[in-house]
Structures are given as C-alpha cells and as structure tokens.
Amino acid sequence: MREEIQIRPTTQGDVPGILELLGTVFHEDYPEEVRDWETGVLELDRSLVADDAGQVVGHIDAYTRDLTVPGAVVPAAHVSGVGVVPTHRRRGLLNRMMRRQLTEIADAGREPIAVLWASETSIYPRYGYGPASSRLAFTIMNREVRLTVPPAEPAGRLRMAEPTGLLADLTKVYEQLRPDRPGWSSRDDRWWRYVLTDLEAHRDGATKRYAVVHDGPDGPTGYALWRVKNGWNGHGPDCEVQVREVVATDPETYQALWRFLLSIDLCRSVTFRLGAVDEPLRYLVDEPRRLGPAVLDALWVRLVNVPAALAARRYAAPVDVVLEVTDPILERNTGRWRLTGGPDGAVCVPTTDPADVTCSVTDLGAVHLGGTPLSALVASGRVRLLTGNDPTVAFGWHRRPSSTEVF
C-alpha cells in the first residue's frame, strides 16, 4: 500500500522543487534571475510542502509582515505560493496544507489575521478568507482626459531616476502614509529590494522601471513608479505607460504626479492596476469614462484569532454588540463575543449574552478592513441582525482600503 503524501516543513533542499512547482502551477517560466528574486523573501520556517516520495507536489508559505487595518497596524501572516501540481489535484492536499497552516498561525499566537491575494476566488472562502477590499484597474485614454485642477503655485519639483537610487525618498513617503492606509503592508529592506528589483522576465517587452519623486519645500511628498511599453501603428506613436504605484502625502502632489504620468511623450494610454475604489483621480479629470475603470477584488482577510483581531482595529462609531461567530476550521473562534469600542480602541471578550448578530469568520474577514460594507452582507443574507443593535456603521472606516503591491 502506498504511503500517504506527507505535509511537512520545508527544507533548503526543497527550494528547487518549490520553484519548479510554482512555475508549473502559475504557467510561468522561472529563469535563474526570477528564482533568486523569489527565494530572497522565502521564509523556510513558515513554508510547508506536500512530499510524495521525495517530490514536492504541493506548497504553501507565509511572510512575516505587518498590515494596516482601520486605525492600527497589526502583525499579519501574508500567505502566498499556494499550489498543487496537476498530477496531484483532487487528493485533499490543498485542504490539508491550508488547515495546517491556519492551525500553526493560531497556535503561535503572534498574528491575529492572515491575508492573501486569490488566484481563484472560489477557493479561499472555504478556509475562512473574505473579500476585504476591492481595487480599480484603470485603462486610461490619456489624450482624452485633462485634469480640471490647475497646477499648484508655486509648483513642486519632480526628480526622475531609477527606483533604487531614490530608495530613501520612497521609504520616507511610504512610511509616512502607511499607518493610515488600510491594506498596506510593511516593507523592510528585504521587501523594498523585492518590490524594486526590475527583472527582464517581468517587463513583457516594456522598458526598465522608472521612479519620479515630487519634492515640496520640506522634502519629498510623493512618488510614482512606472515603465513604458513601446508601440506604433498606422497613426504614429502608440506607447503605453504602465503605472505601478502612485503615493502622495497631499492633493497637490497627487495632482502633479498624475499630470506628469498622463503627459509622457509618444504615449496614448496609461494603465494602473492597483487603484483604490475611491481613487481621487476619478474626480480630477474632465472625462472620467476615459479612465476605463474596472472593479476587481484585492486583499482577502482571514481572522485567525477573532477576539484579538476585532480588538486590534478601531471603529468608525461607538459599538457594543454581541457577535455569534462560526468557524469550522479554528473552533476556538466559534462562540459569542462581546465587542465594545470605537475610534479610540476596542475590547472583545467571550460572553453568554444573547447574540445581536450571527456571522461566519469569513464574513468578519470581509468587513475587517472597512472595504466590504457590513450592510451589504446583511442585505445579502450572509449576516443576520437578530436585534435592533445594528453595528454596520461602526465597521466602516473613513478611508477605503487599498493595496500598493501584489505579494
């Protein structure tokens, strides 16, 4: 009888097999430069493999990073690299890896939430992940739009260079804004290297990546990262500006950066895949339809420790509510929890009081960043209000979540 496939911690010797698996699962070539780039952030002690007689046939890992939630920054397991080779699908390997990872995160007690980007959105609700934020993907006809706000007087200064040459400025701006941006992840030196490494394999025929920094009187106030894909047709130049990030500390900087990106010579379109749902650009142009916005899902959140996660974030309005939560994987989360708090802090403790709300741990993950309205889940029937104590307003937040990267 053949031995059951083993789920075990990763060793250094598994790394080539993991990279081969990821290339197969995500249908990508992994040349040596990509392999070095990927292994630069791999945390072996947080990685699991499915081992079939010495062959890596499944994998899942997590990165140790912080995540901004409404009003706070918390440790969060950043789950990635999830996959099973085609020959071993439908054997329960993904289920075993996901459940073991969640149990290990919960037992460690450091991270109250886990977060991921979903390759297929039907998979992860089964493991308690809820769609916590959305993004706007823009395909802009840049010759068809104009900013309706005149340039600031006096205008700031723009400096353009390769991103690594501007790292100190990028870091300063990013860290200034990160505590107030739900959905943003921490970036230590390792992660800045990961984000800014400009691999030929990732360019898809476009140029190297560029950075532009906007300076105000007291130093850098914003930056943008982009590259350009060359193109010509029967009408002449038809290049595409591919924007990676636009980060600005004030409206004047934001306007100046977009004015620059929309007016690069020879370019007839601008794409930006990671815009926030409330992206200010939509309200700055004279022809917003020419921005071509499309709403897509972004971060998915899983509450690993329900009381710790609910107590860690802040709330838009005072709240005192009893939640009856179900969690079929981490049963320690199942039960009734009294959440009290508001904009300045919160407490969540077990209770035997009658429930005001019934919901699943997936629903709590969906509303945790303030991006998915709790009222929408109530209207859909996923969440039930049992009394007149309605906490839907409290779970919102003054800033909609957004993400500046796909890890």
Side-chain angles (χ1 to χ4, degrees):
M1 182 175 177
R2 189 172 183 177
E3 281 188 22
E4 181 183 20
I5 296 170
Q6 181 184 10
I7 308 299
R8 61 167 175 79
T10 297
T11 68
Q12 187 65 45
D14 296 319
V15 172
I18 292 170
L19 295 171
E20 189 66 29
L21 177 147
L22 293 177
T24 300
V25 168
F26 294 107
H27 312 298
E28 296 181 13
D29 291 328
Y30 273 50
E32 182 127 359
E33 63 169 0
V34 175
R35 290 169 181 253
D36 291 343
W37 177 70
E38 288 285 3
T39 55
V41 293
L42 180 64
E43 299 181 31
L44 291 179
D45 61 339
R46 306 204 65 181
S47 175
L48 297 171
V49 295
D51 180 343
D52 186 2
Q55 179 190 3
V56 175
V57 297
H59 176 256
I60 187 171
D61 63 18
Y63 304 131
T64 304
R65 306 177 71 182
D66 293 337
L67 183 77
T68 304
V69 299
V73 176
V74 301
H78 285 56
V79 176
S80 187
V82 184
V84 175
V85 295
T87 54
H88 287 65
R89 297 171 65 244
R90 304 292 185 264
R91 299 193 193 182
L93 296 182
L94 176 65
N95 185 59
R96 290 171 61 194
M97 291 190 298
M98 292 291 296
R99 286 172 173 265
R100 175 163 169 173
Q101 183 189 63
L102 284 170
T103 300
E104 290 182 355
I105 294 170
D107 288 346
R110 297 187 304 269
E111 298 154 324
I113 63 175
V115 59
L116 56 74
W117 286 78
S119 56
E120 293 190 74
T121 56
S122 63
I123 296 173
Y124 295 99
R126 301 200 300 262
Y127 304 103
Y129 286 88
S133 70
S134 300
R135 59 188 168 103
L136 285 185
F138 292 100
T139 305
I140 305 169
M141 302 169 67
N142 59 318
R143 291 298 188 259
E144 299 280 337
V145 297
R146 297 288 183 275
L147 267 63
T148 58
V149 181
E153 292 291 346
R157 173 176 173 249
L158 293 174
R159 289 182 287 122
M160 179 175 157
E162 291 192 11
T164 53
L166 297 170
L167 178 57
D169 295 325
L170 307 188
T171 302
K172 180 179 180 180
V173 173
Y174 188 86
E175 289 301 316
Q176 180 179 342
L177 292 177
R178 181 168 67 90
D180 192 40
R181 298 292 176 97
W184 281 25
S185 298
S186 60
R187 291 180 181 175
D188 57 16
D189 291 342
R190 179 183 56 143
W191 275 99
W192 271 112
R193 286 194 301 271
Y194 185 84
V195 170
L196 297 183
T197 296
D198 188 18
L199 302 179
E200 182 75 31
H202 291 166
R203 294 179 185 176
D204 192 27
T207 67
K208 65 182 180 181
R209 184 175 290 141
Y210 298 103
V212 62
V213 168
H214 183 276
D215 286 320
D218 300 316
T221 58
Y223 70 84
L225 303 175
W226 86 97
R227 63 173 91 247
V228 177
K229 190 166 188 177
N230 194 18
W232 293 77
N233 58 32
H235 300 283
D238 190 32
C239 301
E240 175 189 311
V241 179
Q242 299 174 345
V243 178
R244 181 69 165 75
E245 295 183 12
V246 178
V247 179
T249 61
D250 58 70
E252 291 75 23
T253 298
Y254 184 85
Q255 296 159 19
L257 291 171
W258 273 111
R259 189 172 284 107
F260 170 83
L261 294 167
L262 294 173
S263 62
I264 295 175
D265 287 343
L266 307 183
C267 298
R268 297 296 181 265
S269 63
V270 178
T271 57
F272 180 40
R273 309 300 295 176
L274 296 172
V277 172
D278 55 358
E279 192 68 40
L281 182 64
R282 300 173 67 194
Y283 311 102
L284 287 175
V285 299
D286 57 352
E287 286 282 2
R289 291 181 182 174
R290 300 296 190 268
L291 298 177
V295 180
L296 303 172
D297 64 288
L299 292 172
W300 291 64
V301 168
R302 210 289 183 191
L303 271 59
V304 177
N305 183 326
V306 164
L310 293 178
R313 61 157 289 180
R314 304 296 180 257
Y315 296 86
V319 61
D320 184 352
V321 64
V322 175
L323 304 167
E324 185 165 346
V325 182
T326 56
D327 186 343
I329 295 177
L330 298 176
E331 293 186 1
R332 68 196 80 178
N333 289 325
T334 296
R336 293 180 187 171
W337 305 95
R338 178 176 289 279
L339 171 66
T340 56
D344 298 323
V347 175
C348 188
V349 296
T351 183
T352 57
D353 292 343
D356 299 306
V357 178
T358 62
C359 60
S360 70
V361 72
T362 303
D363 301 322
L364 288 180
V367 303
H368 196 64
L369 297 183
T372 300
L374 180 57
S375 58
L377 298 185
V378 172
S380 73
R382 291 183 55 90
V383 173
R384 294 179 58 207
L385 301 182
L386 305 178
T387 69
N389 187 1
D390 183 351
T392 54
V393 172
F395 272 85
W397 196 243
H398 68 277
R399 184 185 293 278
R400 299 294 293 273
S402 62
S403 178
T404 59
E405 63 186 279
V406 180
F407 56 87

